């Protein structure tokens, strides 16, 4: 998997260099600002913008090169221009590490990359093949054929994988072994035993318990009226958050509004946590959060 390519010209632009972002709050979304030739940028909570001039923007034939955000918005992964290394950067400190044994090449020009919470693991996908990479040691775990990683538990001790019919299995990471089945894919909880998933037509959210093979709540948690659910994520304390999207005309070019809600698993109520808008001028937006 370690294949190098020749040097290419760096893409530069305006913005705060990522190396100087020592006190940056978590990222809300990433993208290309104004035109598809701009460097990758990160939009952080509070209105700041961080430029990543050292990140590869394009693959081949104008295809977007992979960039990934961790579900909590604290880490970003990309292929570095100067040496082709796949790197994981902690946004708040600027600390960066290269994933051993993985460098850019034409063989992986159509690759996709995703990050686990905390940035400990990266999922590298090429076509129908997937690998889970330990970003510190470089250890590579090939994903069983017919499965693809869908979500990690908040501590990344477990990963949920889905097949083509969206049936799911839960695997422990150390050692890598299957430990249970789920009839639906979704966001894997902190215990590696609870899965939150969207009901048919995305009308609500349900929870599935693996050991009992049952549903903890009989009634689905309703999605707030007029909202379309897009993402869910668990935090380390076992709290479940739901993200919704609402297309909204902001100015010429349009834009999209995202809102996060906290779900009370006992009462089924939702509490708004906050939201943000991705302007229509941002190309290839990547929004933080799991995507079941």
């Amino acid at each position: 998997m370690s294949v190098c390519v020749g040097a290419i010209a760096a893409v530069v632009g305006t913005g705060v260099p990522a190396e100087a972002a020592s006190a940056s709050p978590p990222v809300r979304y990433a993208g290309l600002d104004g035109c598809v030739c701009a460097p990758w940028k990160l939009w952080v909570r509070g209105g700041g913008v961080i430029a990543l001039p050292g990140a590869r923007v394009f693959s081949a034939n104008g295809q977007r090169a992979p960039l990934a955000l961790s579900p909590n918005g604290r880490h970003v992964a990309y292929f570095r221009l100067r040496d082709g290394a796949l790197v994981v950067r902690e946004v708040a400190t600027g600390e960066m590490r290269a994933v051993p044994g993985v460098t850019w090449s034409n063989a992986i020009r159509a690759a996709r990359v995703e990050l686990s919470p905390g940035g400990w693991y990266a999922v590298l996908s090429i076509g129908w093949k997937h690998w889970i990479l330990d970003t510190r040691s470089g250890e590579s775990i090939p994903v069983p054929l017919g499965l693809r990683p869908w979500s990690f538990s908040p501590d990344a001790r477990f990963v949920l994988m889905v097949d083509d019919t969206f049936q799911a299995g839960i695997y422990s990471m150390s050692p890598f072994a299957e430990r249970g089945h789920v009839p639906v894919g979704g966001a894997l909880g902190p215990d590696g035993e609870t899965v939150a998933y969207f009901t048919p037509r995305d009308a609500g959210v349900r929870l599935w318990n693996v050991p009992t093979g049952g549903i903890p709540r009989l009634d689905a948690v309703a999605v707030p009226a007029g909202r379309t659910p897009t993402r869910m994520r668990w935090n380390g304390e076992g709290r479940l958050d739901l993200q919704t999207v609402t297309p909204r005309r902001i100015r010429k070019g349009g834009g999209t509004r995202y809102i996060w809600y906290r779900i009370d698993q006992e009462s089924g109520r939702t509490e708004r946590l906050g939201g943000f808008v991705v302007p229509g001028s941002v190309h290839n937006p990547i929004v933080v959060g799991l995507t079941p």
Side-chain angles (χ1 to χ4, degrees):
M1 195 180 299
S2 179
V3 182
C4 298
V5 295
I8 64 174
V11 181
V12 298
T14 59
V16 180
E19 291 78 2
S22 59
S24 301
V27 178
R28 283 178 163 170
Y29 61 95
L32 304 174
D33 189 17
C35 71
V36 295
C37 59
W40 283 112
K41 291 184 179 180
L42 309 176
W43 282 262
V44 300
R45 185 177 297 119
V49 181
I50 301 171
L52 299 174
R56 173 179 283 273
V57 178
F58 297 110
S59 176
N61 300 322
Q63 182 179 353
R64 178 178 65 85
L67 180 141
L69 299 172
S70 62
N72 61 9
R74 298 185 183 279
H75 294 81
V76 57
Y78 54 85
F79 284 94
R80 192 163 52 194
L81 275 171
R82 64 178 174 83
D83 59 3
L86 176 61
V87 298
V88 178
R89 180 191 295 271
E90 184 176 358
V91 177
T93 65
E95 180 183 353
M96 183 165 52
R97 63 178 176 274
V99 180
V102 183
T103 53
W104 181 260
S105 74
N106 286 332
I108 60 174
R109 63 183 182 275
R112 301 181 305 281
V113 176
E114 296 174 308
L115 277 179
S116 72
W120 189 283
Y121 296 106
V123 176
L124 177 65
S125 301
I126 305 174
W128 296 101
K129 295 182 179 180
H130 311 277
W131 295 267
I132 299 177
L133 310 175
D134 186 316
T135 62
R136 289 168 171 79
S137 70
E139 179 186 3
S140 173
I141 301 174
V143 174
L145 188 65
L147 296 177
R148 62 187 176 108
W150 191 258
S151 70
F152 286 85
S153 60
D155 58 8
R157 291 192 303 129
F158 307 100
V159 60
L160 182 144
M161 309 230 214
V162 298
D163 62 18
D164 291 341
T165 65
F166 218 55
Q167 298 289 305
I170 296 174
Y171 289 71
S172 61
M173 288 303 303
S174 183
F176 185 72
E178 186 177 4
R179 61 190 305 269
H181 289 275
V182 190
V184 290
L188 185 60
D191 55 3
E193 297 180 342
T194 304
V195 177
Y197 64 97
F198 294 136
T199 61
R201 296 178 294 279
D202 296 338
V205 174
R206 281 191 183 276
L207 303 177
W208 184 273
N209 183 267
V210 176
T212 65
I215 301 174
R217 281 187 53 84
L218 295 179
D219 300 325
V221 176
V223 173
R227 309 291 181 188
T228 300
T230 56
R231 296 168 175 84
M232 289 185 286
R233 66 183 178 193
W234 298 83
N235 65 19
E237 299 173 349
R239 295 175 178 174
L240 178 62
D241 294 338
L242 165 70
Q243 187 188 81
T244 66
V245 62
T246 305
R248 179 188 179 193
R249 188 79 175 177
I250 300 172
R251 63 176 186 270
K252 186 176 180 180
T256 307
R257 178 175 295 278
Y258 294 88
I259 300 176
W260 281 104
Y261 295 88
R262 173 68 46 80
I263 292 178
D264 187 312
Q265 299 170 43
E266 294 184 2
S267 68
R269 292 192 298 268
T270 56
E271 175 188 0
R272 178 169 171 160
L273 298 178
F276 58 92
V277 170
V278 178
S281 59
V282 175
H283 297 267
N284 298 108
I286 300 170
V287 180
V288 162
L290 302 178
T291 56

